[in-house]
Amino acid sequence: MTEIAKKPIKITETILRDAHQSLIATRMSTEQMLPIVEKLDEVGYHSLECWGGATFDASLRFLKEDPWDRLRKIRARAKKTKLQMLFRGQNILGYRPYGDDVVEYFVQKSIANGIDIIRIFDCLNDLRNLQTAVKAANKEGGHAQIALCYTLGDAYTLDYWTGIAKEIEEMGADSICIKDMAGLLLPYKATELVTALKETVKIPIQLHNHYTSGVASMTYLKAVEAGVDVIDCAISPFALGTSQPATEVMVETFKGTPYDTGFDQKLLAEIADYFRPIRDEALKSGLLNPLNMGVNIKTLLYQVPGGMLSNLTSQLREMNAEDKYYEVLEEMPKVRKDFGECPLVTPSSQIVGNTAVMNVVAGERYKMVSKEAKDLLSGKYGKTVKPFNPEVQKKVVGDGEIITCRPADLVDNELPQLESEMAQYKEQDEDVLTYALFPQVATDFFKYREAQETKMDAAVADQKNGAYPV
């Protein structure tokens, strides 16, 4: 038997971003993260995914935290390990295409504040929506990784994936990530896909899976054997369910093999011990829904990503329609087919999910549709692999304009206008980007920050004046 050359598998740890986004709706605070960052930094991870995705919005909206401040504080403690973020192409971390100047400035500031690797994706796999971010990351000396949103359907053949991978390499990306948001990639399909990609491109291949359908750990095993370079894992208290396979399990799996990580299980156990009480508290408070911790093989039919499932359960609870959960799940693939068989990942997952909810709750399909659904069917998010259902498109868009160009070509440079709109709140350069992404949420946060600073100033003044002892 031929001996396999040593090739330790690299691991990206998702506990500071996707793990808590998928299981507890992105509610882990900076204060909860910081005490353990030095230990995470000692493990030897390929990278720590700690920013981007929904963390930016959640920090501002629910935690009243400055996401830029979070990034700087994590960077100050993680001195050895690369920091990684998730970036929605032309949509940055928001839900619409932004002007090229905003995209470029956001990439510049992300790298300046401590990000090393930017994982850039587009919900439709429309590469036109990724070009600006890739060029900006290259210019700033960051690592530009393009994520292919993995999904199933007639259009998504091996030729499709290898063809798009070649285009990505030619575009100037430093690596490719197979982003399997819903746990759809089966073990032997992973062998085929990874083998084909490694034969097609020279840049590294990373695999990001969610455990939702129960196969992700086996998929990782086959992908690693097929030559994948990096896998995404979550420390065990926030692993499995709609999150990623457990870091410690994958480390132990490859121990004593050519893929041995060399990680210290005692150190990983200390890190797990730190996060377990945070998980238990989330379970007690209802933030962690047990529904999101099980295995749902029907995911292979519904194709709903982990983060979407946790948000869906919250949305239906708020509408007093939790009994419609499975009905909505069954409606999702039908809406997805009408919407050009698009992959389901932010923001397309929210658009398809919300549309499915409206269809079920209203009792009539496409009677009520969101502005975002109308925009998607108008081509304002980009080009889908398959055409939209013409009847649905007509019902939703009516006589509205259908566009075929790169959506950002219709968006002028925005920074000067944004700067003037929020000038009164600006305390740091990054504030204009916060405002660009979420104008109302940012304004509310800026007002809150100002009030906190006023309180702090008053407390300091009282202390100086001897109002109370130091």
Side-chain angles (χ1 to χ4, degrees):
M1 190 174 168
T2 313
E3 194 173 322
I4 305 169
K6 283 193 176 183
K7 190 198 173 187
I9 185 63
K10 295 174 182 173
I11 294 179
T12 289
E13 176 58 63
T14 68
I15 183 64
L16 302 181
R17 205 284 298 175
D18 199 15
H20 73 99
Q21 180 175 318
S22 295
L23 291 179
I24 59 169
T26 331
R27 296 298 200 278
M28 197 182 290
S29 67
T30 304
E31 193 181 332
Q32 289 173 312
M33 296 175 185
L34 292 180
I36 199 66
V37 172
E38 280 98 340
K39 280 208 167 104
L40 287 166
D41 195 32
E42 289 298 322
V43 173
Y45 289 117
H46 169 69
S47 63
L48 290 173
E49 195 203 32
C50 64
W51 212 59
T55 63
F56 200 95
D57 184 3
S59 294
L60 296 163
R61 191 186 301 265
F62 302 114
L63 304 173
K64 296 289 181 260
E65 292 183 3
D66 179 1
W68 297 99
D69 190 45
R70 171 182 293 186
L71 174 55
R72 289 189 287 264
K73 283 176 174 172
I74 293 173
R75 177 77 283 170
R77 287 161 176 77
K79 300 186 189 302
K80 304 174 187 174
T81 314
K82 288 179 177 172
L83 298 186
Q84 183 169 319
M85 74 173 290
L86 184 65
F87 193 98
R88 298 174 190 148
Q90 208 69 29
N91 295 348
I92 309 179
L93 305 177
Y95 305 102
R96 70 167 178 89
Y98 293 90
D100 287 338
D101 62 337
V102 181
V103 175
E104 287 161 2
Y105 194 41
F106 202 100
V107 169
Q108 182 193 327
K109 284 297 181 186
S110 298
I111 291 170
N113 280 277
I115 288 295
D116 300 291
I117 301 168
I118 302 185
R119 177 177 291 171
I120 309 158
F121 77 95
D122 176 67
C123 68
L124 306 181
N125 287 333
D126 185 343
L127 298 187
R128 299 174 304 169
N129 294 333
L130 305 174
Q131 289 163 340
T132 303
V134 171
K135 281 180 189 166
N138 289 342
K139 184 184 170 190
E140 297 301 323
H143 178 112
Q145 179 180 86
I146 287 187
L148 285 172
C149 297
Y150 183 80
T151 191
L152 303 174
D154 300 340
Y156 300 98
T157 61
L158 217 47
D159 284 345
Y160 167 80
W161 296 118
T162 54
I164 203 169
K166 197 72 195 156
E167 286 182 64
I168 287 168
E169 187 174 47
E170 287 163 4
M171 194 191 285
D174 297 295
S175 62
I176 291 173
C177 173
I178 304 161
K179 181 175 167 60
D180 181 13
M181 312 76 62
L184 304 175
L185 182 60
L186 298 172
Y188 287 98
K189 288 291 179 188
T191 300
E192 280 178 25
L193 180 58
V194 172
T195 302
L197 290 176
K198 293 299 281 184
E199 286 170 358
T200 305
V201 296
K202 293 185 172 65
I203 55 178
I205 308 291
Q206 184 156 356
L207 180 55
H208 172 90
N209 267 56
H210 287 255
Y211 202 83
T212 321
S213 63
V215 301
S217 296
M218 293 181 281
T219 297
Y220 276 1
L221 177 61
K222 299 308 287 182
V224 169
E225 289 174 351
V228 87
D229 298 282
V230 193
I231 53 175
D232 286 11
C233 301
I235 207 76
S236 57
F238 280 89
L240 310 184
T242 50
S243 179
Q244 280 76 51
T247 306
E248 304 96 307
V249 173
M250 298 317 300
V251 167
E252 200 63 19
T253 297
F254 296 117
K255 195 173 178 182
T257 75
Y259 315 109
D260 195 334
T261 62
F263 289 3
D264 180 354
Q265 284 284 18
K266 285 183 182 172
L267 178 57
L268 293 174
E270 283 180 53
I271 294 167
D273 288 345
Y274 176 83
F275 283 107
R276 202 166 289 109
I278 298 173
R279 190 268 319 270
D280 294 346
E281 188 52 44
L283 201 52
K284 273 186 215 161
S285 69
L287 196 54
L288 176 55
N289 189 322
L291 265 181
N292 300 327
M293 290 304 295
V295 163
N296 187 354
I297 196 62
K298 286 190 175 178
T299 302
L300 296 173
L301 299 177
Y302 306 139
Q303 303 196 28
V304 184
M308 184 58 202
L309 271 178
S310 56
N311 286 330
L312 176 65
T313 51
S314 304
Q315 189 183 352
L316 289 173
R317 189 184 301 128
E318 282 166 20
M319 297 172 77
N320 290 320
E322 280 184 283
D323 60 318
K324 305 281 190 191
Y325 181 74
Y326 288 102
E327 208 178 323
V328 170
L329 285 183
E330 283 170 21
E331 175 65 9
M332 279 191 191
K334 297 171 190 171
V335 174
R336 177 180 175 251
K337 196 166 185 186
D338 290 339
F339 286 13
E341 211 168 68
C342 58
L344 292 183
V345 64
T346 305
S348 60
S349 56
Q350 281 82 351
I351 296 169
V352 169
N354 288 340
T355 306
V357 168
M358 287 183 199
N359 285 358
V360 168
V361 172
E364 183 189 325
R365 304 188 79 222
Y366 308 110
K367 182 183 180 182
M368 300 187 297
V369 289
S370 65
K371 176 188 177 295
E372 289 77 15
K374 190 173 179 179
D375 285 349
L376 178 66
L377 290 166
S378 302
K380 290 181 183 174
Y381 283 89
K383 184 175 167 47
T384 49
V385 177
K386 283 196 157 187
F388 300 125
N389 179 330
E391 288 173 22
V392 171
Q393 189 180 40
K394 184 70 180 166
K395 184 173 181 178
V396 173
V397 181
D399 297 324
E401 186 191 0
I402 307 292
I403 70 159
T404 55
C405 64
R406 180 183 79 122
D409 289 342
L410 303 175
V411 184
D412 293 329
N413 280 345
E414 301 179 85
L415 276 174
Q417 175 65 29
L418 292 164
E419 286 272 12
S420 70
E421 284 176 21
M422 56 74 65
Q424 70 185 98
Y425 300 114
K426 187 174 175 180
E427 291 186 9
Q428 57 179 350
D429 288 346
E430 292 80 2
D431 285 345
V432 69
L433 292 165
T434 302
Y435 177 82
L437 265 50
F438 306 105
Q440 190 53 57
V441 174
T443 301
D444 292 344
F445 171 74
F446 294 150
K447 287 176 181 172
Y448 167 83
R449 180 176 68 183
E450 205 172 82
Q452 293 302 107
E453 286 162 357
T454 303
K455 270 190 205 169
M456 187 71 75
D457 290 345
V460 169
D462 283 348
Q463 198 175 61
K464 279 184 181 169
N465 296 331
Y468 51 80
V470 176

